[in-house]
Amino acid sequence: MQSDTKPRWERRKDARPQELLAAALDLFVDRGYAATRLEDVARRAGVSKGTLYLYFENKEELFKAVVRENIVEVIGKAESDVAAAAGASCNELLRAMLNKWWCEVGSTRASGLAKLIMAEAGNFPEIAAFYNDEVIERGNGLIASIVRRGVDNGEFAPVDADVMTRVLTAPVLMLMLWSHSFFPCDTGSIDPEAFMAAFLGLVERGIRAPAAAVTD
Amino acid sequence: MQSDTKPRWERRKDARPQELLAAALDLFVDRGYAATRLEDVARRAGVSKGTLYLYFENKEELFKAVVRENIVEVIGKAESDVAAAAGASCNELLRAMLNKWWCEVGSTRASGLAKLIMAEAGNFPEIAAFYNDEVIERGNGLIASIVRRGVDNGEFAPVDADVMTRVLTAPVLMLMLWSHSFFPCDTGSIDPEAFMAAFLGLVERGIRAPAAAVTD
Amino acid sequence: MQSDTKPRWERRKDARPQELLAAALDLFVDRGYAATRLEDVARRAGVSKGTLYLYFENKEELFKAVVRENIVEVIGKAESDVAAAAGASCNELLRAMLNKWWCEVGSTRASGLAKLIMAEAGNFPEIAAFYNDEVIERGNGLIASIVRRGVDNGEFAPVDADVMTRVLTAPVLMLMLWSHSFFPCDTGSIDPEAFMAAFLGLVERGIRAPAAAVTD
Amino acid sequence: MQSDTKPRWERRKDARPQELLAAALDLFVDRGYAATRLEDVARRAGVSKGTLYLYFENKEELFKAVVRENIVEVIGKAESDVAAAAGASCNELLRAMLNKWWCEVGSTRASGLAKLIMAEAGNFPEIAAFYNDEVIERGNGLIASIVRRGVDNGEFAPVDADVMTRVLTAPVLMLMLWSHSFFPCDTGSIDPEAFMAAFLGLVERGIRAPAAAVTD
DNA sequence: TATGAATGAGTCTTCATTCAT
DNA sequence: TATGAATGAAGACTCATTCAT
């Protein structure tokens, strides 16, 4: 859409940040935050180290940009979805959200960022705070709101919504972590679909109100 | 009689390794593997850098020793326990083991090692291999053996033991990870006992054979 | 126009490797391999430690580059020279080569590398192998080829070429070693030209075939 | 010869320094001065690091003691021998001394000390001075005195005795160095006896006065 | 005498960041 | 905008020497 008259050597001017973000995502996911060298990010994006600093103030800002691009955005969409499904069955909605979370984030490269955060947040407080505010609080809030609604309307057993949110998100988080592990037994032996199916089955049967059977 | 001048060092041969392992556990857990400086480990144990090398060949061997001391040993005991409980109810045994795992490892400082491994194994293949062989394979094997027995004797629904093992261990693992996170919401908001209770309840109701409901 | 503040560094890409190699040669020769600190090499070349690593992967590669620059190249030229002098008197060619060796390598700073190798090869096997292949084998082969020709054409007494090569190269090597010794008697008392003259005279009279006298 | 009444555990009290010197010789020769660790010396002698310091003030004194024990002593005997052979043929005496030197020092482990000195004297000035005074000056003086006598009595061509001493000692020195090299071509391909025979033949024919040929 | 635990200065190597061009 | 040469602080590991026992 840009003017066609621009000389050839200036092409892709606007694409630079995207290429850098893509390269950074790959390397952060593979190596972690501290172990990722900016020079490698630059090289993978086909630019020089100095260029990277033209687009991102420093390593930390680069990382934040990667998180925004790959995770924060998805959460925003999910929030809209939940708001739109106000009348749906909570048991189904809950499982749909968990499954969607796995499909749209967990099963992508972006899930490596969760591993990274888990691992290194303690050494980089600023990053921890950012991730907590932008991802964890919002993501958990979303799940908790569904649980709360399910408890309120009698679909679910009367559980503590915040605690149950943790229990429900834990397996998906672990699956995300495992999918970025280098353990032979992990990498090789877990079938994510089977795992999610087993987990969602457990949830379906495990969360609903006992009384529900009577009610039926 | 007491000299006013503190001796340059104190001779504590037998106590040293334990003190060093304790200091190393603390720092590995707090900072991760790569970010832990051996000089800090030494200082925390009250000795000099060089002294550490009298007891442990290098950083990697120090780490392995920490894992052996804090995790491998517990697994060994658990294996005996399971073998001794051959006739028990699998549903109960399973929950007992998961709970015990949390109590004896998960809720201690040692659980930080799981976080560390999750996070950094990819950058340190030798450590990954060691941990996989000594901890993951053995630990998973233990849980899977119980699940398999429960499926065989009809206590459990006919699930895939290896997949279910992953599903069952995931929440405990995540709780371990969370308990070593620095996120305000994590550190503050999770009550491990409530989490474990919620999780074990989910398991009890979720894993048993459907027929069991009829039996009640 | 000249800024009063000296720039933190100066950009000298093309000159750098040469400056670093020169500094490295000096220090390796003066202090040996193990005792040469890369920081000193850098400082002598007027750069920082890190800069050195932009041009040479590590200490070993730096050393190899120094050897290539200062010795291997000369051997290559000598090989051409010998090939070109196919018809010359072997007695004269032999002495010319030995003398040339002294003049072009032995009497320069580069000869200190021979001392270094002699001294430290045992502790650095990789360096030993490199030097053996690139310098010793080729250099000895060159001298031996002349001796062999001289024996074959009757100029020389029927000696074993490989043994005689050792005998012939030994004094030049020793002179090289001596010229880098710090012994008062060595540094001061040896006149290399007198030494070489005495040695070459010894060779001229000592190597030729006894029958030669008859021939005259 | 010591009292037989001494308790068993105190045996070999006087042998300790000898054992330490033997161990030190081995390691200095194999690894050089700087690279020899005193802990290894102690271990090889079967004692602890601390014990070594009971007998030798520090690394440097240990090294000096090794040199005294293994080289200085031999030179003393050689000086007596030369003094006793006042009337012998200088050509023969010279070759006898050179050969003896090889046999009694050069072909033993002690020759490795020459390599070590050659290599590292520059980094340890005190050691250099010691070796120069105790070994080099005295050894060279011995050879030079024979050369001088041979020139004076017409047996030898009128050479400069000091220069010729260097030329004559150089091959033996190099043979000593080579015999402690790790180069395949060195270790494997040099036959010391053949080398010495070739060298001594060269000397015999090369050093005598030209007139001598006429005389024959 | 003998031990060996303890020390700490010293050296190679890495990498985020800066800045002259 | 883009480059990449240059910087320098930081960390693992070694080893001569000391000294309480």
Side-chain angles (χ1 to χ4, degrees):
Chain A
M1 280 318 156
Q2 304 290 6
S3 160
D4 284 333
T5 64
K6 284 198 179 166
R8 193 172 115 271
W9 47 266
E10 217 175 309
R11 92 241 109 104
R12 294 194 312 160
K13 190 172 107 178
D14 296 335
R16 272 289 143 74
Q18 292 307 317
E19 291 163 0
L20 283 164
L21 288 172
L25 173 63
D26 282 350
L27 289 171
F28 280 138
V29 163
D30 283 352
R31 309 228 249 265
Y33 182 77
T36 290
R37 293 181 304 149
L38 293 191
E39 180 154 22
D40 290 343
V41 173
R43 192 182 359 259
R44 180 179 282 239
V47 302
S48 73
K49 225 182 332 181
T51 300
L52 198 157
Y53 278 87
L54 294 175
Y55 294 97
F56 303 96
E57 205 174 330
N58 53 32
K59 198 180 189 178
E60 189 176 307
E61 288 303 322
L62 172 63
F63 180 75
K64 288 183 184 175
V66 168
V67 172
R68 280 196 204 91
E69 171 100 350
N70 290 282
I71 300 190
V72 177
E73 211 165 335
V74 179
I75 291 183
K77 279 189 296 185
E79 287 169 339
S80 314
D81 291 353
V82 168
S89 146
C90 287
N91 199 320
E92 272 174 34
L93 178 59
L94 176 62
R95 284 178 292 128
M97 291 306 300
L98 292 171
N99 199 45
K100 183 174 187 162
W101 177 25
W102 167 254
C103 295
E104 297 196 0
V105 177
S107 64
T108 71
R109 286 206 125 274
S111 61
L113 297 174
K115 180 185 93 166
L116 182 158
I117 286 289
M118 211 75 242
E120 304 186 72
N123 295 325
F124 302 94
E126 195 127 351
I127 288 180
F130 164 79
Y131 195 85
N132 185 62
D133 294 347
E134 300 291 324
V135 177
I136 298 178
E137 292 278 16
R138 287 175 63 185
N140 282 348
L142 204 54
I143 300 296
S145 71
I146 302 174
V147 172
R148 223 175 325 264
R149 201 184 334 146
V151 170
D152 288 347
N153 72 15
E155 271 188 83
F156 295 164
V159 295
D160 179 295
D162 291 322
V163 170
M164 184 52 74
T165 295
R166 296 303 186 151
V167 173
L168 294 169
T169 53
V172 183
L173 279 171
M174 270 315 301
L175 185 55
M176 287 164 70
L177 299 192
W178 275 325
S179 69
H180 289 278
S181 297
F182 284 92
F183 300 122
C185 81
D186 289 349
T187 305
S189 75
I190 301 181
D191 171 2
E193 292 193 21
F195 179 98
M196 285 301 293
F199 164 58
L200 292 177
L202 199 69
V203 169
E204 183 181 13
R205 293 187 304 277
I207 199 173
R208 68 175 149 209
V214 178
T215 310
D216 280 346
Chain B
M1 255 340 173
Q2 298 290 18
S3 162
D4 283 351
T5 60
K6 207 193 299 174
R8 274 207 311 155
W9 41 264
E10 198 184 347
R11 209 190 178 85
R12 307 210 33 202
K13 183 183 174 178
D14 292 340
R16 281 282 184 261
Q18 293 307 318
E19 293 165 358
L20 285 163
L21 287 172
L25 174 62
D26 282 351
L27 289 172
F28 280 138
V29 163
D30 283 353
R31 308 229 250 265
Y33 182 78
T36 291
R37 291 179 303 148
L38 292 192
E39 181 154 20
D40 289 344
V41 172
R43 194 183 354 262
R44 177 178 283 238
V47 301
S48 74
K49 218 181 342 180
T51 299
L52 199 158
Y53 281 88
L54 293 177
Y55 296 96
F56 303 96
E57 208 172 327
N58 53 34
K59 197 179 189 178
E60 189 176 308
E61 289 303 321
L62 172 64
F63 180 76
K64 287 183 183 174
V66 168
V67 171
R68 281 195 202 92
E69 172 100 352
N70 291 282
I71 300 190
V72 176
E73 212 164 334
V74 179
I75 292 184
K77 278 190 296 185
E79 287 170 338
S80 312
D81 291 353
V82 168
S89 145
C90 288
N91 199 319
E92 273 174 33
L93 178 58
L94 177 63
R95 283 177 295 127
M97 291 306 301
L98 291 171
N99 198 47
K100 185 176 187 159
W101 176 27
W102 168 253
C103 295
E104 297 195 2
V105 177
S107 66
T108 71
R109 283 203 127 293
S111 60
L113 297 174
K115 180 186 92 167
L116 181 159
I117 285 290
M118 211 76 240
E120 304 187 72
N123 294 326
F124 301 94
E126 197 126 350
I127 288 180
F130 165 79
Y131 195 86
N132 186 62
D133 294 347
E134 300 290 324
V135 177
I136 298 179
E137 293 277 14
R138 285 174 65 184
N140 281 349
L142 204 54
I143 300 297
S145 72
I146 301 174
V147 173
R148 224 177 322 265
R149 205 190 324 153
V151 169
D152 288 347
N153 71 16
E155 271 189 82
F156 295 163
V159 295
D160 178 295
D162 291 323
V163 170
M164 183 53 73
T165 294
R166 296 303 187 151
V167 173
L168 294 169
T169 53
V172 183
L173 278 171
M174 269 316 300
L175 185 54
M176 288 164 70
L177 300 192
W178 275 326
S179 69
H180 288 279
S181 296
F182 285 93
F183 300 124
C185 83
D186 289 348
T187 305
S189 76
I190 300 181
D191 171 2
E193 292 193 22
F195 180 98
M196 284 301 292
F199 163 57
L200 293 177
L202 198 69
V203 169
E204 184 181 11
R205 294 186 304 277
I207 200 174
R208 68 178 150 203
V214 176
T215 310
D216 280 345
Chain C
M1 256 342 175
Q2 298 289 18
S3 162
D4 283 352
T5 59
K6 207 194 298 177
R8 274 207 311 156
W9 42 264
E10 198 183 346
R11 207 191 179 87
R12 310 210 33 205
K13 182 184 175 177
D14 293 341
R16 282 281 185 261
Q18 293 306 318
E19 293 165 359
L20 285 164
L21 287 172
L25 174 62
D26 282 351
L27 288 171
F28 280 138
V29 163
D30 283 353
R31 308 229 250 264
Y33 182 78
T36 291
R37 290 180 302 148
L38 291 192
E39 181 153 22
D40 289 344
V41 172
R43 193 182 356 260
R44 178 178 283 238
V47 301
S48 74
K49 222 179 340 179
T51 300
L52 201 158
Y53 281 87
L54 293 177
Y55 296 96
F56 303 96
E57 207 173 328
N58 53 34
K59 197 178 189 178
E60 189 177 308
E61 289 303 321
L62 173 63
F63 179 75
K64 287 184 183 175
V66 168
V67 171
R68 281 196 202 93
E69 171 100 350
N70 290 283
I71 301 191
V72 176
E73 211 164 335
V74 179
I75 292 183
K77 278 189 296 186
E79 287 170 340
S80 312
D81 291 352
V82 167
S89 146
C90 287
N91 198 318
E92 272 175 33
L93 179 59
L94 177 62
R95 283 176 294 126
M97 291 307 300
L98 291 170
N99 198 47
K100 185 174 185 158
W101 177 26
W102 168 253
C103 296
E104 297 196 0
V105 177
S107 65
T108 71
R109 283 203 127 288
S111 61
L113 298 175
K115 180 185 92 166
L116 182 159
I117 286 290
M118 211 75 241
E120 305 187 70
N123 295 324
F124 300 94
E126 197 127 350
I127 288 181
F130 165 78
Y131 194 85
N132 185 62
D133 294 346
E134 300 291 323
V135 177
I136 298 179
E137 292 277 14
R138 286 176 64 183
N140 281 350
L142 204 54
I143 301 296
S145 71
I146 302 175
V147 172
R148 225 176 321 266
R149 205 192 322 155
V151 170
D152 289 348
N153 70 15
E155 271 189 84
F156 296 164
V159 295
D160 178 296
D162 291 323
V163 170
M164 184 52 73
T165 294
R166 295 303 187 150
V167 172
L168 293 169
T169 53
V172 183
L173 278 171
M174 270 316 300
L175 185 55
M176 288 163 69
L177 299 192
W178 275 326
S179 69
H180 288 280
S181 297
F182 284 93
F183 302 123
C185 83
D186 288 349
T187 306
S189 76
I190 300 182
D191 172 2
E193 292 192 21
F195 179 98
M196 285 302 291
F199 163 58
L200 293 177
L202 198 70
V203 169
E204 183 181 12
R205 294 187 304 277
I207 200 173
R208 70 176 147 209
V214 178
T215 310
D216 280 346
Chain D
M1 279 319 157
Q2 304 290 5
S3 160
D4 285 333
T5 65
K6 284 198 177 163
R8 191 171 118 273
W9 49 265
E10 217 175 307
R11 91 244 110 103
R12 294 194 312 160
K13 186 171 110 179
D14 296 336
R16 273 287 144 73
Q18 293 307 316
E19 291 163 358
L20 284 163
L21 288 172
L25 174 62
D26 282 351
L27 289 171
F28 280 138
V29 162
D30 283 354
R31 311 227 249 263
Y33 181 78
T36 290
R37 293 180 303 149
L38 292 192
E39 179 154 22
D40 290 343
V41 172
R43 187 175 11 252
R44 180 180 282 239
V47 302
S48 74
K49 224 184 329 183
T51 300
L52 198 157
Y53 279 86
L54 294 176
Y55 294 98
F56 303 95
E57 206 174 327
N58 53 31
K59 197 179 190 179
E60 189 176 308
E61 289 303 321
L62 172 64
F63 180 75
K64 287 183 184 175
V66 168
V67 171
R68 281 198 201 90
E69 170 100 349
N70 289 283
I71 301 191
V72 177
E73 211 165 334
V74 179
I75 292 184
K77 278 190 295 185
E79 287 170 339
S80 313
D81 291 352
V82 168
S89 145
C90 287
N91 198 318
E92 274 174 32
L93 179 59
L94 177 63
R95 284 176 293 128
M97 292 306 300
L98 291 171
N99 199 45
K100 185 175 184 160
W101 177 26
W102 168 252
C103 295
E104 297 195 0
V105 178
S107 65
T108 71
R109 285 205 125 279
S111 61
L113 298 174
K115 181 185 95 165
L116 181 159
I117 286 289
M118 210 76 241
E120 303 186 73
N123 295 326
F124 302 94
E126 196 127 350
I127 288 180
F130 164 79
Y131 194 86
N132 186 61
D133 295 347
E134 300 291 325
V135 177
I136 299 179
E137 292 278 15
R138 287 174 65 184
N140 281 350
L142 205 55
I143 301 296
S145 71
I146 302 174
V147 172
R148 223 175 326 264
R149 198 178 343 141
V151 170
D152 289 347
N153 71 14
E155 269 188 85
F156 295 164
V159 295
D160 178 295
D162 291 323
V163 170
M164 184 52 73
T165 294
R166 295 302 186 154
V167 173
L168 294 168
T169 53
V172 183
L173 279 170
M174 271 315 301
L175 186 54
M176 287 164 70
L177 299 193
W178 275 324
S179 68
H180 289 279
S181 295
F182 284 93
F183 299 122
C185 82
D186 289 348
T187 304
S189 76
I190 300 182
D191 172 2
E193 291 193 22
F195 180 97
M196 284 303 292
F199 164 57
L200 293 177
L202 198 70
V203 169
E204 182 180 13
R205 294 187 305 277
I207 200 174
R208 66 179 151 202
V214 177
T215 312
D216 279 345

